[in-house]
Amino acid sequence: MKASKTASLPEGPVIKITIDRFPPLLFVFALMLSGCSDHSSPEYFLEEYPHRLSRVTGVDIPEPEIAIPTLPPLRQRAYPAPDLRIKALEALDLLKCPALSQAVAYRNSSLGKQMLPSQHYFYEKTLLSLIPQCIGSLQQTNDNREVIAKLQEILSEKLATFPAIEWNLVFANTEFSKQLHSQGRLLAINDQASFRGTREALNYLTRLLPDQLLEPPYTSTDLERHLQQVTASRYLGELIYSAALLSQTLNHAANILQLRLAKGPVCPAADPAEAERLHNVFRLFYREKIQPYLARVDQEGIIIRNDFKRLLSLLPAAPRDDIQRYLSLITQASNIHSPWYQLEQSIRHHTTIWAEFLDQCGKAAALQINQKAF
């Protein structure tokens, strides 16, 4: 297939890509083994649909440009979250608070100094539980006023910085970095496990963040299990990439047909076979293959965006404007540079052009039935 042109979006971070829908060596090897390509794969029918239209109409035009939002590097999307007042805690007499004393000692151990964002989150959450407990124990006597005052000061500082720890739990790790990179792959036709696993992880985080307890299912072990679900796939990136490639394909097909119609009506025409061939392409590729896949991407996109926005509502604002723009691109269908907005516009364009042809040829009912299905 010809390489697609790429373009930069006017707003927000994007990655310029050259679409290689089939890894060359792997694909050739697969063809040698099977003797044929997988005609049910989205890679096949999204590529073949505009090609068939071009062949029938004799209109050959370049593919439209495509741009994919890209996640900023880790160092740019993480909040700095220093361990405030750990030395101050070490200096305090915490003999009456052994649990807090042990937690402080662990932070200064070799393991404690190498905590992952998920481990750091639970460590800080544990401190926010242990410090008030220690203050309560010390308040039972009257000779610890200075220590109590210091602990209260440290607690206030910890509470002020904890939202940054929560942000880093989600965005300063490798799990969601992997999820948000598609590596140029589309959503597989029958893969619902990745959709369910990603939703489960997003909804778990949405329940975890407001919870003040350290009990199942809100423990470090449970969190790591859900983060492993995130690592297990690239669902979010593949979903966004699929939306962008669908938009490109629909626009390419609509542009081809629009140029053909500009040359003159298809019906009535000297070559009635052209109208039949065009209708066959519409039926065999768009209605039977692309439309169900488009409906799935659109519906899952709505669900995932809502899940993601609920999670974002529990987090502080992004540490940088480019990260905020990126999040807007992947979650806000109202953002005119978003793949979701572009997909909606491409559906309208594609529907309008096909409606003109089908109306000319007395087949408008086929489009109406198809739109009801979507």
Side-chain angles (χ1 to χ4, degrees), residues 299-339:
Q299 291 161 8
E300 290 186 13
I302 292 171
I303 293 170
I304 289 293
R305 292 200 305 275
N306 287 335
D307 288 344
F308 216 103
K309 285 187 282 190
R310 278 194 294 270
L311 177 60
L312 289 173
S313 71
L314 300 172
L315 296 172
R320 291 167 52 110
D321 289 343
D322 57 344
I323 301 170
Q324 191 61 48
R325 286 193 295 269
Y326 168 80
L327 293 174
S328 174
L329 287 171
I330 67 171
T331 62
Q332 302 294 336
S334 59
N335 185 328
I336 63 172
H337 306 301
S338 164

Side-chain angles (χ1 to χ4, degrees), residues 1 66 106 151 173 176 185 229 299 342:
M1 172 181 179
I66 182 174
Y106 173 76
L151 286 174
N173 62 39
F176 276 96
R185 294 197 302 239
Q229 286 183 307
Q299 291 161 8
Q342 297 296 329

Side-chain angles (χ1 to χ4, degrees), residues 73-98:
L74 176 62
R75 65 183 180 276
Q76 295 180 14
R77 64 177 189 267
Y79 266 107
D83 291 324
L84 292 173
R85 307 305 294 272
I86 289 296
K87 290 183 178 180
L89 282 171
E90 287 178 323
L92 296 178
D93 181 4
L94 300 176
L95 292 178
K96 294 184 179 180
C97 305

Side-chain angles (χ1 to χ4, degrees), residues 109-354:
S109 68
S110 58
L111 289 176
K113 291 177 180 179
Q114 300 177 22
M115 288 191 290
L116 298 173
S118 57
Q119 296 168 326
H120 192 195
Y121 167 80
F122 270 100
Y123 174 78
E124 294 292 330
K125 197 169 189 176
T126 299
L127 287 185
L128 291 179
S129 174
L130 293 177
I131 293 175
Q133 292 177 22
C134 182
I135 291 173
S137 297
L138 296 176
Q139 284 176 336
Q140 295 178 6
T141 62
N142 293 323
D143 56 351
N144 296 295
R145 293 180 180 177
E146 183 178 347
V147 174
I148 291 172
K150 287 288 185 183
L151 286 174
Q152 288 173 333
E153 182 182 350
I154 293 169
L155 178 61
S156 295
E157 293 175 343
K158 289 288 183 185
L159 287 170
T161 59
F162 191 63
I165 304 296
E166 294 178 307
W167 170 274
N168 288 348
L169 168 66
V170 178
F171 290 107
N173 62 39
T174 58
E175 289 87 358
F176 276 96
S177 295
K178 180 180 178 182
Q179 263 271 352
L180 287 162
H181 286 89
S182 72
Q183 292 192 331
R185 294 197 302 239
L186 295 166
L187 287 181
I189 290 291
N190 297 316
D191 182 15
Q192 287 295 306
S194 296
F195 170 62
R196 290 193 296 267
T198 301
R199 280 210 76 196
E200 185 178 339
L202 289 172
N203 289 325
Y204 175 82
L205 289 170
T206 300
R207 296 189 301 271
L208 169 70
L209 294 181
D211 187 80
Q212 300 302 313
L213 301 177
L214 296 168
E215 301 173 355
Y218 306 118
T219 65
S220 180
T221 301
D222 291 303
L223 174 60
E224 293 300 331
R225 180 173 61 83
H226 283 88
L227 290 178
Q228 286 174 4
Q229 286 183 307
V230 174
T231 308
S233 76
R234 296 182 181 274
Y235 173 80
L236 291 174
E238 290 172 1
L239 179 67
I240 295 166
Y241 181 73
S242 299
L245 201 55
L246 276 164
S247 179
Q248 181 196 50
T249 299
L250 295 182
N251 282 329
H252 192 198
N255 292 343
I256 291 171
L257 187 58
Q258 188 173 29
L259 285 175
R260 167 58 190 86
L261 294 175
K263 294 179 180 179
V266 178
C267 298
D271 182 11
E274 181 187 17
E276 189 61 29
R277 289 195 295 269
L278 280 173
H279 185 254
N280 284 340
V281 172
F282 174 80
R283 177 177 57 85
L284 294 174
F285 285 91
Y286 179 73
R287 191 170 65 190
E288 295 184 8
K289 299 291 187 181
I290 295 177
Q291 189 275 331
Y293 187 72
L294 170 61
R296 175 196 164 194
V297 170
D298 182 70
Q299 291 161 8
E300 290 186 13
I302 292 171
I303 293 170
I304 289 293
R305 292 200 305 275
N306 287 335
D307 288 344
F308 216 103
K309 285 187 282 190
R310 278 194 294 270
L311 177 60
L312 289 173
S313 71
L314 300 172
L315 296 172
R320 291 167 52 110
D321 289 343
D322 57 344
I323 301 170
Q324 191 61 48
R325 286 193 295 269
Y326 168 80
L327 293 174
S328 174
L329 287 171
I330 67 171
T331 62
Q332 302 294 336
S334 59
N335 185 328
I336 63 172
H337 306 301
S338 164
W340 303 109
Y341 180 90
Q342 297 296 329
L343 179 59
E344 181 181 350
Q345 297 305 306
S346 70
I347 292 171
R348 291 179 179 177
H349 178 43
H350 183 265
T351 301
T352 299
I353 300 304
W354 270 109

Side-chain angles (χ1 to χ4, degrees), residues 286-287 291 295 299 351 364-374:
Y286 179 73
R287 191 170 65 190
Q291 189 275 331
Q299 291 161 8
T351 301
L367 184 64
Q368 293 172 0
I369 293 172
N370 186 56
Q371 293 309 307
K372 288 179 181 179
F374 184 77

